[in-house]
Amino acid sequence: MVEWPGWPQWDERELDGLRQVLESGSWGGYSEALGTFERAFAERHAARRCISAMNGTVSLVAAFAACEIGPGDEVIVPAYTFFATASAVRLAGATPVFVDIDPDTYNLDIGAAEAAISESTKAIVPVHFAGLPVDLDVLLPLGERHGLVVIEDAAHAHGSSWRGRPVGALGHVGSFSFQANKNMTAGEGGALLTNDDALAERLWSYVNQGRSPDGSWYEHPHLGSNLRLTGWQAAVLRIQLDRLDQQLERRMASSRFLHEQLAQFAGLRPLLWDERAESHAHHLFVLRYDPAGFGGLSRADFRLELEARGIPSSAGYGMPLYRQQSLTPPASRVTPCPVAERACEEAIWLGHNLLLAEEAQLAAIPEAVEDILTDRRRLAERAESHRQGGVAA
Ligand SMILES: Cc1ncc(COP(=O)(O)O)c(C=O)c1O
């Protein structure tokens, strides 16, 4: 069986970084490690400003607060995403409006989003699902036309780009997560990117107890919280960022290989990789599974067969978010989402750590699928010969 690359990945450099923070005595607060990481993360994503935070949920809440989005306001979100995209809207006191996704990318269906805009709509939160940027050629003008704040949920999209421009600060503000499973991680963590200096100050203030950057420690002109990242996390993330581009290239090469290899199977359709995304983080490699292509084998059984051949996978989100008890109306407004419903039934996710494997290892995936198909064919032949009263081969 294939031994897949593990995650997280680290080496002596993380140890050195942690030791430096230890010896500096600057473990929290506005430490040097924090500033160094924020500048490097902003630079990598061609953004003017980066404000780090404890995780990618509170960073979204901070974005809503800094954009003055709250009670009485509606925020458009995709129905197929992680809970936090919508729970953060609720935590800010606003109402999420759930909109369907595109069947080929699982990103926000922008036409459906436009149709869902009401007088109360203040913001739209495209999620760059699995690392593929949403169609920003259409989304950004839509935001402008309707005077909406665009908050990119880039939790899956470290280093992704659209027409050569890194995501994160292409809307008004973008939010990243460094949770344990993300493409860059410090166990937990988050960051906000923006090109708007005034917005950056409000974000900074919200994350730093309502202080102002030029005020004193016990001066709190705004309402805010303490959502800061520690020096430990910042030091680890600085090193993880150094590894990002090499890993990005590897994941993209693996994805190209899998697209090519899996295209031969009628029952498996990978999500499309829009060519306008020169860089695609591939936080996940997502297949759309059709039991008809595997003699009626259910998705759950297909995944068990993969598992038995050493290929770990996930069925992904179990339900569209409007079915989560805390997010059903009247806590939200829901528009028809047949594609999101289907995605919960058909998706199979492969984790980004698999994509770090070399091609020879990755070949185990199409080989496993071929093997499952061969088994299914044998089974069907046996059943047929049994039905005809013959002897099974
Ligand atoms: C799309 C999306 N948004 C937001 C989050 C929240 O990030 P965190 O877990 O760092 O709070 C996550 C991941 O966990 C996510 O996948």
Side-chain angles (χ1 to χ4, degrees), residues 55-57 60 81-82 84-85 127 153 155-156 177-179 182 188-189 317:
N55 57 61
T57 304
L60 284 169
T81 174
F82 182 63
T85 311
V127 176
D153 186 343
H156 296 181
S177 164
F178 306 120
Q179 169 266 345
K182 296 299 191 288
E188 301 288 353
Y317 308 129

PDB file of all heavy atoms in Angstrom, residues 55-57 60 81-82 84-85 127 153 155-156 177-179 182 188-189 317, ligand 1:
ATOM      1  N   ASN A  55      -7.962  32.574  14.170  1.00  0.00           N
ATOM      2  CA  ASN A  55      -8.415  31.524  13.250  1.00  0.00           C
ATOM      3  C   ASN A  55      -9.220  32.162  12.112  1.00  0.00           C
ATOM      4  O   ASN A  55      -9.457  33.371  12.116  1.00  0.00           O
ATOM      5  CB  ASN A  55      -9.221  30.437  13.983  1.00  0.00           C
ATOM      6  CG  ASN A  55     -10.422  31.008  14.707  1.00  0.00           C
ATOM      7  OD1 ASN A  55     -11.309  31.578  14.088  1.00  0.00           O
ATOM      8  ND2 ASN A  55     -10.435  30.876  16.033  1.00  0.00           N
ATOM      9  N   GLY A  56      -9.626  31.327  11.178  1.00  0.00           N
ATOM     10  CA  GLY A  56     -10.320  31.816   9.980  1.00  0.00           C
ATOM     11  C   GLY A  56     -11.803  32.036  10.194  1.00  0.00           C
ATOM     12  O   GLY A  56     -12.502  32.436   9.250  1.00  0.00           O
ATOM     13  N   THR A  57     -12.299  31.782  11.401  1.00  0.00           N
ATOM     14  CA  THR A  57     -13.697  32.100  11.721  1.00  0.00           C
ATOM     15  C   THR A  57     -13.771  33.508  12.308  1.00  0.00           C
ATOM     16  O   THR A  57     -14.532  34.346  11.830  1.00  0.00           O
ATOM     17  CB  THR A  57     -14.267  31.077  12.741  1.00  0.00           C
ATOM     18  OG1 THR A  57     -14.115  29.774  12.198  1.00  0.00           O
ATOM     19  CG2 THR A  57     -15.734  31.344  13.019  1.00  0.00           C
ATOM     20  N   LEU A  60     -13.259  36.214   9.812  1.00  0.00           N
ATOM     21  CA  LEU A  60     -14.466  36.587   9.058  1.00  0.00           C
ATOM     22  C   LEU A  60     -15.354  37.510   9.891  1.00  0.00           C
ATOM     23  O   LEU A  60     -15.871  38.508   9.398  1.00  0.00           O
ATOM     24  CB  LEU A  60     -15.255  35.333   8.642  1.00  0.00           C
ATOM     25  CG  LEU A  60     -14.687  34.525   7.471  1.00  0.00           C
ATOM     26  CD1 LEU A  60     -15.403  33.184   7.335  1.00  0.00           C
ATOM     27  CD2 LEU A  60     -14.827  35.306   6.155  1.00  0.00           C
ATOM     28  N   THR A  81     -20.402  25.037   1.723  1.00  0.00           N
ATOM     29  CA  THR A  81     -19.123  25.528   2.247  1.00  0.00           C
ATOM     30  C   THR A  81     -19.037  25.074   3.695  1.00  0.00           C
ATOM     31  O   THR A  81     -19.975  24.465   4.224  1.00  0.00           O
ATOM     32  CB  THR A  81     -19.009  27.067   2.153  1.00  0.00           C
ATOM     33  OG1 THR A  81     -17.793  27.505   2.799  1.00  0.00           O
ATOM     34  CG2 THR A  81     -20.162  27.782   2.816  1.00  0.00           C
ATOM     35  N   PHE A  82     -17.907  25.376   4.339  1.00  0.00           N
ATOM     36  CA  PHE A  82     -17.774  25.038   5.753  1.00  0.00           C
ATOM     37  C   PHE A  82     -18.680  25.965   6.571  1.00  0.00           C
ATOM     38  O   PHE A  82     -18.898  27.136   6.218  1.00  0.00           O
ATOM     39  CB  PHE A  82     -16.307  25.164   6.190  1.00  0.00           C
ATOM     40  CG  PHE A  82     -16.086  24.792   7.624  1.00  0.00           C
ATOM     41  CD1 PHE A  82     -16.336  23.500   8.057  1.00  0.00           C
ATOM     42  CD2 PHE A  82     -15.661  25.726   8.546  1.00  0.00           C
ATOM     43  CE1 PHE A  82     -16.151  23.149   9.386  1.00  0.00           C
ATOM     44  CE2 PHE A  82     -15.469  25.391   9.876  1.00  0.00           C
ATOM     45  CZ  PHE A  82     -15.724  24.097  10.300  1.00  0.00           C
ATOM     46  N   ALA A  84     -18.351  27.800   9.064  1.00  0.00           N
ATOM     47  CA  ALA A  84     -17.874  29.111   9.522  1.00  0.00           C
ATOM     48  C   ALA A  84     -18.206  30.242   8.557  1.00  0.00           C
ATOM     49  O   ALA A  84     -18.398  31.380   8.991  1.00  0.00           O
ATOM     50  CB  ALA A  84     -16.364  29.067   9.757  1.00  0.00           C
ATOM     51  N   THR A  85     -18.271  29.955   7.248  1.00  0.00           N
ATOM     52  CA  THR A  85     -18.577  31.028   6.286  1.00  0.00           C
ATOM     53  C   THR A  85     -19.898  31.692   6.660  1.00  0.00           C
ATOM     54  O   THR A  85     -20.045  32.907   6.594  1.00  0.00           O
ATOM     55  CB  THR A  85     -18.673  30.454   4.849  1.00  0.00           C
ATOM     56  OG1 THR A  85     -17.536  29.634   4.591  1.00  0.00           O
ATOM     57  CG2 THR A  85     -18.769  31.552   3.814  1.00  0.00           C
ATOM     58  N   VAL A 127     -16.572  31.881  -1.695  1.00  0.00           N
ATOM     59  CA  VAL A 127     -15.574  30.960  -1.126  1.00  0.00           C
ATOM     60  C   VAL A 127     -14.788  30.405  -2.312  1.00  0.00           C
ATOM     61  O   VAL A 127     -15.391  29.913  -3.265  1.00  0.00           O
ATOM     62  CB  VAL A 127     -16.267  29.799  -0.373  1.00  0.00           C
ATOM     63  CG1 VAL A 127     -15.248  28.794   0.134  1.00  0.00           C
ATOM     64  CG2 VAL A 127     -17.119  30.342   0.768  1.00  0.00           C
ATOM     65  N   ASP A 153     -13.710  34.484   1.059  1.00  0.00           N
ATOM     66  CA  ASP A 153     -13.335  33.446   2.021  1.00  0.00           C
ATOM     67  C   ASP A 153     -12.289  32.582   1.317  1.00  0.00           C
ATOM     68  O   ASP A 153     -12.618  31.706   0.512  1.00  0.00           O
ATOM     69  CB  ASP A 153     -14.545  32.622   2.459  1.00  0.00           C
ATOM     70  CG  ASP A 153     -14.180  31.631   3.573  1.00  0.00           C
ATOM     71  OD1 ASP A 153     -12.971  31.371   3.745  1.00  0.00           O
ATOM     72  OD2 ASP A 153     -15.091  31.121   4.238  1.00  0.00           O
ATOM     73  N   ALA A 155     -10.090  30.574   2.734  1.00  0.00           N
ATOM     74  CA  ALA A 155      -9.574  29.581   3.691  1.00  0.00           C
ATOM     75  C   ALA A 155      -8.916  28.387   3.000  1.00  0.00           C
ATOM     76  O   ALA A 155      -8.073  27.708   3.582  1.00  0.00           O
ATOM     77  CB  ALA A 155     -10.703  29.096   4.603  1.00  0.00           C
ATOM     78  N   HIS A 156      -9.325  28.118   1.724  1.00  0.00           N
ATOM     79  CA  HIS A 156      -8.760  26.979   0.982  1.00  0.00           C
ATOM     80  C   HIS A 156      -7.722  27.427  -0.040  1.00  0.00           C
ATOM     81  O   HIS A 156      -7.234  26.592  -0.796  1.00  0.00           O
ATOM     82  CB  HIS A 156      -9.863  26.265   0.182  1.00  0.00           C
ATOM     83  CG  HIS A 156     -10.938  25.639   0.993  1.00  0.00           C
ATOM     84  ND1 HIS A 156     -11.994  24.937   0.431  1.00  0.00           N
ATOM     85  CD2 HIS A 156     -11.125  25.570   2.328  1.00  0.00           C
ATOM     86  CE1 HIS A 156     -12.794  24.498   1.382  1.00  0.00           C
ATOM     87  NE2 HIS A 156     -12.300  24.866   2.545  1.00  0.00           N
ATOM     88  N   SER A 177      -7.454  30.775   6.548  1.00  0.00           N
ATOM     89  CA  SER A 177      -7.385  29.934   7.753  1.00  0.00           C
ATOM     90  C   SER A 177      -6.071  29.153   7.746  1.00  0.00           C
ATOM     91  O   SER A 177      -5.610  28.712   6.694  1.00  0.00           O
ATOM     92  CB  SER A 177      -8.557  28.946   7.761  1.00  0.00           C
ATOM     93  OG  SER A 177      -8.313  27.895   8.685  1.00  0.00           O
ATOM     94  N   PHE A 178      -5.498  28.990   8.938  1.00  0.00           N
ATOM     95  CA  PHE A 178      -4.290  28.155   9.088  1.00  0.00           C
ATOM     96  C   PHE A 178      -4.583  27.008  10.048  1.00  0.00           C
ATOM     97  O   PHE A 178      -3.713  26.568  10.800  1.00  0.00           O
ATOM     98  CB  PHE A 178      -3.122  29.007   9.597  1.00  0.00           C
ATOM     99  CG  PHE A 178      -2.862  30.234   8.760  1.00  0.00           C
ATOM    100  CD1 PHE A 178      -2.948  31.501   9.311  1.00  0.00           C
ATOM    101  CD2 PHE A 178      -2.550  30.118   7.407  1.00  0.00           C
ATOM    102  CE1 PHE A 178      -2.715  32.635   8.552  1.00  0.00           C
ATOM    103  CE2 PHE A 178      -2.319  31.249   6.632  1.00  0.00           C
ATOM    104  CZ  PHE A 178      -2.401  32.519   7.202  1.00  0.00           C
ATOM    105  N   GLN A 179      -5.819  26.558  10.047  1.00  0.00           N
ATOM    106  CA  GLN A 179      -6.251  25.421  10.877  1.00  0.00           C
ATOM    107  C   GLN A 179      -5.424  24.186  10.467  1.00  0.00           C
ATOM    108  O   GLN A 179      -4.822  24.159   9.385  1.00  0.00           O
ATOM    109  CB  GLN A 179      -7.773  25.259  10.663  1.00  0.00           C
ATOM    110  CG  GLN A 179      -8.420  24.014  11.199  1.00  0.00           C
ATOM    111  CD  GLN A 179      -8.504  22.947  10.128  1.00  0.00           C
ATOM    112  OE1 GLN A 179      -8.344  23.221   8.953  1.00  0.00           O
ATOM    113  NE2 GLN A 179      -8.736  21.716  10.555  1.00  0.00           N
ATOM    114  N   LYS A 182      -5.129  22.859   6.879  1.00  0.00           N
ATOM    115  CA  LYS A 182      -5.020  23.775   5.741  1.00  0.00           C
ATOM    116  C   LYS A 182      -3.621  23.710   5.100  1.00  0.00           C
ATOM    117  O   LYS A 182      -2.687  23.186   5.685  1.00  0.00           O
ATOM    118  CB  LYS A 182      -5.340  25.204   6.186  1.00  0.00           C
ATOM    119  CG  LYS A 182      -6.789  25.372   6.664  1.00  0.00           C
ATOM    120  CD  LYS A 182      -7.790  25.052   5.575  1.00  0.00           C
ATOM    121  CE  LYS A 182      -9.212  25.453   5.940  1.00  0.00           C
ATOM    122  NZ  LYS A 182      -9.829  24.609   6.968  1.00  0.00           N
ATOM    123  N   GLU A 188      -3.732  26.218  14.476  1.00  0.00           N
ATOM    124  CA  GLU A 188      -4.856  27.147  14.314  1.00  0.00           C
ATOM    125  C   GLU A 188      -4.265  28.453  13.807  1.00  0.00           C
ATOM    126  O   GLU A 188      -3.061  28.690  13.936  1.00  0.00           O
ATOM    127  CB  GLU A 188      -5.582  27.409  15.642  1.00  0.00           C
ATOM    128  CG  GLU A 188      -6.173  26.197  16.343  1.00  0.00           C
ATOM    129  CD  GLU A 188      -7.404  25.628  15.669  1.00  0.00           C
ATOM    130  OE1 GLU A 188      -7.913  26.232  14.701  1.00  0.00           O
ATOM    131  OE2 GLU A 188      -7.858  24.543  16.108  1.00  0.00           O
ATOM    132  N   GLY A 189      -5.103  29.326  13.305  1.00  0.00           N
ATOM    133  CA  GLY A 189      -4.632  30.646  12.876  1.00  0.00           C
ATOM    134  C   GLY A 189      -5.481  31.181  11.738  1.00  0.00           C
ATOM    135  O   GLY A 189      -6.222  30.431  11.089  1.00  0.00           O
ATOM    136  N   TYR A 317     -18.875  17.803   2.899  1.00  0.00           N
ATOM    137  CA  TYR A 317     -19.970  18.358   3.697  1.00  0.00           C
ATOM    138  C   TYR A 317     -21.201  17.445   3.584  1.00  0.00           C
ATOM    139  O   TYR A 317     -21.596  17.084   2.484  1.00  0.00           O
ATOM    140  CB  TYR A 317     -20.341  19.764   3.217  1.00  0.00           C
ATOM    141  CG  TYR A 317     -19.165  20.719   3.120  1.00  0.00           C
ATOM    142  CD1 TYR A 317     -18.921  21.444   1.964  1.00  0.00           C
ATOM    143  CD2 TYR A 317     -18.299  20.892   4.191  1.00  0.00           C
ATOM    144  CE1 TYR A 317     -17.850  22.328   1.877  1.00  0.00           C
ATOM    145  CE2 TYR A 317     -17.219  21.770   4.119  1.00  0.00           C
ATOM    146  CZ  TYR A 317     -17.005  22.474   2.945  1.00  0.00           C
ATOM    147  OH  TYR A 317     -15.945  23.339   2.857  1.00  0.00           O
TER     148      TYR A 317
HETATM  149  C1  LIG B   1     -14.260  27.686   3.729  1.00  0.00           C
HETATM  150  C2  LIG B   1     -13.845  27.892   5.153  1.00  0.00           C
HETATM  151  N1  LIG B   1     -14.098  29.061   5.759  1.00  0.00           N
HETATM  152  C3  LIG B   1     -13.735  29.299   7.028  1.00  0.00           C
HETATM  153  C4  LIG B   1     -13.086  28.326   7.769  1.00  0.00           C
HETATM  154  C5  LIG B   1     -12.795  28.617   9.208  1.00  0.00           C
HETATM  155  O1  LIG B   1     -11.471  28.551   9.524  1.00  0.00           O
HETATM  156  P1  LIG B   1     -10.974  28.130  10.997  1.00  0.00           P
HETATM  157  O2  LIG B   1     -11.138  26.657  11.141  1.00  0.00           O
HETATM  158  O3  LIG B   1      -9.539  28.559  10.986  1.00  0.00           O
HETATM  159  O4  LIG B   1     -11.778  28.898  11.983  1.00  0.00           O
HETATM  160  C6  LIG B   1     -12.773  27.093   7.162  1.00  0.00           C
HETATM  161  C7  LIG B   1     -12.037  26.012   7.811  1.00  0.00           C
HETATM  162  O5  LIG B   1     -11.905  25.501   8.744  1.00  0.00           O
HETATM  163  C8  LIG B   1     -13.184  26.863   5.842  1.00  0.00           C
HETATM  164  O6  LIG B   1     -12.939  25.694   5.241  1.00  0.00           O
END
